[in-house]
Amino acid sequence: MKKKREYQSSELVKSFAKLYGFEDKLMALQVKDFLKSYLDEAFFKEIESVNLNEKILEIRIKSPLFRNDFRMKKSFFLKKFQEEFGADQFMDVYVL
């Protein structure tokens, strides 16, 4: 008799991402979801995209005012992301 293996949906998604090389994109989506829950809705709407390249998180923001504010709090957000997702996931945050 074969042993059935049960997966949670998040484990299954992570295994597919690892298999096909989408781990960075999956992590960027998790960061974007975190920002959606953490930031005010008006601020979140100003975020154009979130990408992860070689452990550098790139956040593209439409509004120059919010972009500058985010840059000033860059170290705070980097620490927050490292606490939430693991210190080894991110080396730096670029605000574009």
Side-chain angles (χ1 to χ4, degrees):
M1 184 188 308
K2 289 185 178 180
K3 185 178 177 182
K4 289 186 179 182
R5 196 163 186 192
E6 293 183 25
Y7 288 102
Q8 290 185 342
S9 62
S10 62
E11 291 175 349
L12 190 60
V13 169
K14 287 179 184 178
S15 66
F16 276 118
K18 187 173 186 174
L19 183 65
Y20 293 106
F22 295 119
E23 293 170 309
D24 288 349
K25 191 62 177 170
L26 183 62
M27 181 58 67
L29 288 172
Q30 290 175 341
V31 169
K32 192 167 185 176
D33 285 343
F34 174 77
L35 286 172
K36 185 175 185 177
S37 65
Y38 190 78
L39 296 174
D40 186 297
E41 186 178 336
F43 285 144
F44 180 73
K45 286 182 179 181
E46 294 297 322
I47 295 178
E48 205 172 308
S49 65
V50 177
N51 291 311
L52 183 62
N53 282 330
E54 300 175 9
K55 296 189 178 190
I56 296 175
L57 191 63
E58 299 172 351
I59 302 174
R60 188 170 301 277
I61 300 174
K62 298 175 202 172
S63 166
L65 184 62
F66 182 53
R67 187 180 319 126
N68 189 43
D69 187 40
F70 208 93
R71 281 183 183 148
M72 289 176 28
K73 297 177 183 176
K74 180 177 111 168
S75 60
F76 168 78
F77 279 108
L78 178 60
K79 184 178 176 188
K80 202 69 150 153
F81 296 146
Q82 288 174 337
E83 288 173 1
E84 185 72 22
F85 302 107
D88 61 331
Q89 294 291 329
F90 310 105
M91 287 178 12
D92 201 3
V93 176
Y94 290 169
V95 183
L96 311 170

